[in-house]
């Protein structure tokens, strides 16, 4: 049934632009409380030895994987939960792109997957801390109370899971204060993504604690099983780090295109370098293969199966090959930090062109010459920073971190470099003298679609743009129409675009640091409130910041509340990173450094700058 103005208005009225209805808040709170009570009840019964269900289930899983019960059960639970949350998150992004705001958080089926998935991550951490009985869980265990030691990996997993889970209720608070920020990079959204992604580090540490620090000591499960399990863990880290690229994967980025190679190279540098150094030969390729299988399956489920917009994804194969080839000629244990930096630099310079080629066939908004120089420099920066962090992670898991002063300097410098790169990518300008005139030729009238010709003034407003395109979204679908240039400053569509119902249709231009939009058609939205901007033939409109259209529901926040709220989220994120650094460092200091690295001869010395302190 076609969407009419009246049905569009009715739909808008049922989708609140602020927080959820109090009834839904109460129900979501009740679900969270119930899950927590069940979890704590299990912990109490286990610690008081009134039930052995956790030990029995964990024991069966442990016998199959060669790790203790307090590692096996939390690892399986967390892994399944992370996959569930990832599916929910990509489904949720597709839903918001296709239909816009929710009628309420519990009216969105994807939110259930995210909620239960993140709670599962938190529960996995709690169980890892609670399950060890009458044993010291690993060399880095922390005394909780007398007679109860907890593994440091469990602490990291609990903290990351709690941080991610906390983003769910805070998201509603954020919407009440500032309105709906329809972007993946909203601060509370980053809490969900960051906490879930970094929880993998807790799993990696827990894995090593379960083997007493001997990564190759689990002969029961065999070398192949060990390799597959470790590869899936590193592939999971790559999956978590890649969620930050989500808007580029759906062809609706709200930021400059140089951020995409930056984000891809950073994720590749950290996860692939860590995988190669921790797992040995083939580790980087195994992590990339696991990533491609999981993201490919999720793309099929979200797209053809659920009938939503199909998400794309980067390849990482070129970067994985670069890391593997470098390791063949330069053993990673020789000056490991230098190896990580060089590997990251090669990811930025050699791996990035493979992603460049992939965008030409997988994205409507493919990479162009407009981002060639800056995009490559950004990719090198992120690749090197990620490679150094990945090296420290692998060294930490092997109990071979360099001196604390060196490790801290590398972590702080790399995080600052990544932050500077993100800040640079977010800096965009809007010209104050650019206008667009639209010549609209209707193709259908009910519902209305049209071919559009765009005349930019001044005619030389764009030089070699990253894109000049029309996006129509949130009308129960997505249309991204890359415009054909017919003359200087003149462009036209190659197919009709929608101009009816709840569709939001706008011209988008990205040229260098300039990133702006010109609305073509926006529906009336009483919940904001906002009046309709009609699509009129021959109309001329001025360029405005994209956020004014793409995040139309945002409220003006006075008194510095917006800045303070963002700084609080940033401080919490840095605290989580600091906590993870502490946990990896604690394990490295207290673990065993006797186990040799992969590809290192038995008689070979411990690498310089990467030994016990």
């Amino acid at each position: 049934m076609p969407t009419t103005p009246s049905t569009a208005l009715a739909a808008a009225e049922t989708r609140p632009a602020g927080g959820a209805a109090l009834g839904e808040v109460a129900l979501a709170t009740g679900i969270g409380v119930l899950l927590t009570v069940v979890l704590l009840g299990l912990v109490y019964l286990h610690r008081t030895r009134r039930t052995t269900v956790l030990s029995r289930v964990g024991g069966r899983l442990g016998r199959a994987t060669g790790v203790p019960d307090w590692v096996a059960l939390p690892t399986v639970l967390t892994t399944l939960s992370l996959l569930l949350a990832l599916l929910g998150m990509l489904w949720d992004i597709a839903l918001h792109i296709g239909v816009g705001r929710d009628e309420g958080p519990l009216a969105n089926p994807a939110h259930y997957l995210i909620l239960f998935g993140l709670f599962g991550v938190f529960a996995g951490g709690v169980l890892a801390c609670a399950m060890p009985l009458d044993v010291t869980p690993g060399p880095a265990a922390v005394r909780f109370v007398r007679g109860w030691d907890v593994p440091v990996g469990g602490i990291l997993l609990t903290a990351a899971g709690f941080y991610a889970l906390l983003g769910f209720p805070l998201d509603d608070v954020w919407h009440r204060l500032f309105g709906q920020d329809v972007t993946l990079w909203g601060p509370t959204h980053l809490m969900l993504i960051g906490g879930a992604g970094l929880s993998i580090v807790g799993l990696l540490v827990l894995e090593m604690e379960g083997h007493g620090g001997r990564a190759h000591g689990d002969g029961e499960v065999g070398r192949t099983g060990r390799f597959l399990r470790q590869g899936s863990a590193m592939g999971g880290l790559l999956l978590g780090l890649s969620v930050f690229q989500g808007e580029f994967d759906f062809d609706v980025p709200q930021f400059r295109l140089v951020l995409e190679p930056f984000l891809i190279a950073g994720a590749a540098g950290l996860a692939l370098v860590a995988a190669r150094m921790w797992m040995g030969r083939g580790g980087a390729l195994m992590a990339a293969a696991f990533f491609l299988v999981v993201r490919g399956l999720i793309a099929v489920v979200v797209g053809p199966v659920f009938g939503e917009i199909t998400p794309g994804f980067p390849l990482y194969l070129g970067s994985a090959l670069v890391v593997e080839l470098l390791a063949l000629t330069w053993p990673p244990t020789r000056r490991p930090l230098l190896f990580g930096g060089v590997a990251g630099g090669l990811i930025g310079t050699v791996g990035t062109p493979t992603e460049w080629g992939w965008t030409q066939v997988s994205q409507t908004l493919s990479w162009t010459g407009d981002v060639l120089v800056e995009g490559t420099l950004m990719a090198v920066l992120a690749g090197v920073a990620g490679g150094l962090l990945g090296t420290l992670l692998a060294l930490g898991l092997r109990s071979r971190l360099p001196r604390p002063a060196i490790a801290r300097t590398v972590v702080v410098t790399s995080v600052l470099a990544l932050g500077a790169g993100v800040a640079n990518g977010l800096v965009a300008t809007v010209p104050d003298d650019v206008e667009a005139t639209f010549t609209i030729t209707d193709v259908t009238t009910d519902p209305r679609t049209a071919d559009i010709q765009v005349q930019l003034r001044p005619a030389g407003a764009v030089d070699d743009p990253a894109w000049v395109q029309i996006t129509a979204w949130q009308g129960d679908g997505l249309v991204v129409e890359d415009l054909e240039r017919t003359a200087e400053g003149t462009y036209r569509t190659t197919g009709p675009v929608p101009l009816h119902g709840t569709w939001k249709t706008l011209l988008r231009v990205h040229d260098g640091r300039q990133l702006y939009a010109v609305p073509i058609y926006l529906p009336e939205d009483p919940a904001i409130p906002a009046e309709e901007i009609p699509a009129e033939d021959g109309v001329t409109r001025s360029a405005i910041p994209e956020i004014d259209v793409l995040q139309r529901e945002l409220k003006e926040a006075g008194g510095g509340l917006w800045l303070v709220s963002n700084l609080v989220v940033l401080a919490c994120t840095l605290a989580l990173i600091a906590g993870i650094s502490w946990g990896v460092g604690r394990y490295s200091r207290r673990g065993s450094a006797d186990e040799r690295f992969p590809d290192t001869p038995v008689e070979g010395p411990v690498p310089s700058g990467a030994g016990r302190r």
Side-chain angles (χ1 to χ4, degrees):
M1 180 174 133
T3 304
T4 64
S6 60
T7 59
L9 179 60
E13 289 175 340
T14 61
R15 298 174 183 170
L22 293 180
E24 293 207 8
V25 172
L27 180 56
T29 302
I31 293 174
V33 170
L34 178 61
L35 292 173
T36 304
V37 168
V38 171
L39 175 63
L40 295 181
L42 273 174
V43 169
Y44 173 77
L45 293 174
H46 176 79
R47 295 299 306 181
T48 57
R49 304 176 192 271
R50 288 177 169 82
T51 181
T52 60
V53 64
L54 295 178
S55 297
R56 292 200 309 272
V57 174
R60 291 177 181 174
L61 294 172
R63 284 189 291 275
T65 55
V67 293
D69 59 351
W70 50 269
V71 175
L73 178 56
T75 297
V76 171
L77 174 61
T78 302
T79 300
L80 294 176
S81 298
L82 284 170
L83 292 174
L84 185 68
L86 179 61
L87 171 60
M89 191 164 296
L90 291 172
W91 187 13
D92 185 51
I93 296 171
L95 285 170
H96 283 299
I97 291 172
V99 301
R101 302 192 303 267
D102 303 313
E103 295 180 6
L106 299 183
N108 183 337
H111 285 182
Y112 289 94
L113 302 187
I114 298 173
L115 175 60
F116 288 118
L118 295 181
F119 187 85
V121 174
F122 171 69
V126 171
L127 293 180
C129 293
M131 286 182 65
L133 294 172
D134 303 323
V135 295
T136 300
V142 177
R143 176 63 54 87
F144 181 48
V145 294
R146 185 176 181 181
W148 186 353
D149 294 335
V150 298
V152 69
I155 296 173
L156 299 183
L157 187 55
T158 302
F162 177 76
Y163 181 70
L165 195 60
L166 187 62
F168 207 89
L170 288 183
D171 192 48
D172 185 71
V173 175
W174 194 274
H175 293 335
R176 291 181 187 278
L177 291 174
F178 307 118
Q180 294 273 3
D181 48 345
V182 188
T183 171
L184 179 67
W185 278 35
T188 50
H189 302 159
L190 294 178
M191 291 178 64
L192 300 169
I193 299 168
L198 292 176
S199 68
I200 297 290
V201 179
L203 278 184
L204 293 170
V205 174
L206 192 66
E207 159 91 2
M208 296 302 293
E209 289 179 294
H211 293 299
R214 297 184 301 276
H216 295 277
D218 50 337
E220 300 177 27
V221 297
R223 189 178 186 87
T224 300
R226 193 167 55 235
F227 183 82
L228 293 175
R229 190 176 67 249
Q230 293 175 346
S232 64
M234 282 300 178
L237 181 60
L238 190 58
L239 284 167
L241 296 173
S242 298
V243 177
F244 293 101
Q245 308 151 13
E247 291 188 354
F248 294 98
D249 292 340
F250 283 92
D251 267 328
V252 286
Q254 299 189 31
F255 314 102
R256 293 201 299 128
L257 192 56
V258 293
L259 273 174
E260 188 175 15
F262 173 85
L263 294 170
I264 292 174
L270 200 162
L272 298 180
V273 170
R276 180 58 181 81
M277 294 191 67
W278 186 52
M279 297 171 57
R281 188 171 299 171
L285 283 171
M286 176 61 201
F290 181 85
F291 168 87
L292 290 174
V293 169
V294 173
R295 280 299 299 264
L297 289 174
I298 290 179
V300 171
V301 171
V302 172
V305 176
F306 289 171
E308 303 297 338
I309 302 161
T310 302
F313 46 84
L315 280 182
Y316 291 122
L317 287 177
S319 295
L321 283 171
V322 165
V323 174
E324 294 287 351
L325 291 174
L326 177 65
L328 288 178
T329 57
W330 179 356
T333 51
R334 296 178 184 172
R335 299 185 178 275
L337 283 174
L338 185 57
F339 171 86
V342 172
L346 290 175
I347 286 172
T349 54
V350 180
T352 297
T354 64
E355 302 295 341
W356 189 292
W358 176 240
T359 68
Q360 306 304 311
V361 298
S362 64
Q363 296 181 189
T364 301
L365 304 181
S366 56
W367 299 353
T368 67
D370 184 58
V371 300
L372 176 61
V373 175
E374 187 182 4
T376 301
L377 292 175
M378 290 271 282
V380 170
L381 173 67
V384 171
L388 292 174
L389 292 174
T391 299
L392 288 181
L393 175 58
L395 292 175
L397 294 173
R398 293 285 174 183
S399 298
R400 299 188 179 210
L401 275 177
R403 294 191 306 274
I406 296 176
R408 290 174 189 147
T409 300
V410 171
V411 170
V412 171
T413 303
S414 298
V415 170
L416 288 176
L418 292 173
V422 170
N424 176 65
L426 294 177
V427 174
T429 61
V430 179
D432 55 11
D433 61 342
V434 171
E435 295 180 332
T437 299
F438 302 107
T439 302
I440 300 175
T441 304
D442 286 352
V443 175
T444 62
T445 57
D446 189 18
R448 187 186 183 193
T449 63
D451 292 326
I452 298 178
Q453 178 176 290
V454 179
Q455 176 65 60
L456 292 175
R457 293 187 179 85
V462 295
D463 180 20
D464 181 23
W467 64 63
V468 178
Q469 50 104 341
I470 288 178
T471 290
W473 69 333
Q474 298 183 350
D476 201 17
L478 172 68
V479 175
V480 179
E481 178 74 9
D482 206 9
L483 300 185
E484 178 185 16
R485 184 177 183 269
T486 57
E488 185 178 20
T490 304
Y491 300 84
R492 68 181 180 189
T493 57
T494 57
V497 297
L499 301 173
H500 64 272
T502 58
W503 287 97
K504 298 173 182 176
T505 305
L506 61 151
L507 170 72
R508 302 182 63 198
V509 179
H510 176 9
D511 185 20
R513 286 196 177 273
Q514 292 188 350
L515 189 63
Y516 55 92
V518 183
I520 300 173
Y521 167 77
L522 298 177
E524 180 184 5
D525 194 338
I528 300 178
E531 297 181 354
E532 177 186 1
I533 297 180
E536 300 174 340
D537 182 36
V539 68
T540 298
R541 294 183 176 129
S542 298
I544 59 176
E546 282 196 332
I547 194 172
D548 291 353
V549 184
L550 295 176
Q551 298 184 44
R552 198 182 184 199
E553 298 88 343
L554 277 183
K555 300 176 183 177
E556 293 290 337
L561 183 59
W562 172 267
L563 176 61
V564 171
S565 299
N566 278 275
L567 291 177
V568 168
V569 173
L570 175 62
C572 292
T573 303
L574 293 176
L576 177 62
I577 294 173
I580 289 174
S581 301
W582 162 84
V584 173
R586 180 182 176 89
Y587 172 78
S588 180
R589 290 192 301 272
R590 297 177 180 236
S592 170
D594 297 332
E595 184 69 21
R596 66 188 180 91
F597 266 84
D599 307 332
T600 301
V602 176
E603 68 274 14
V606 174
S608 173
R612 297 288 301 275
R613 272 106 12 238

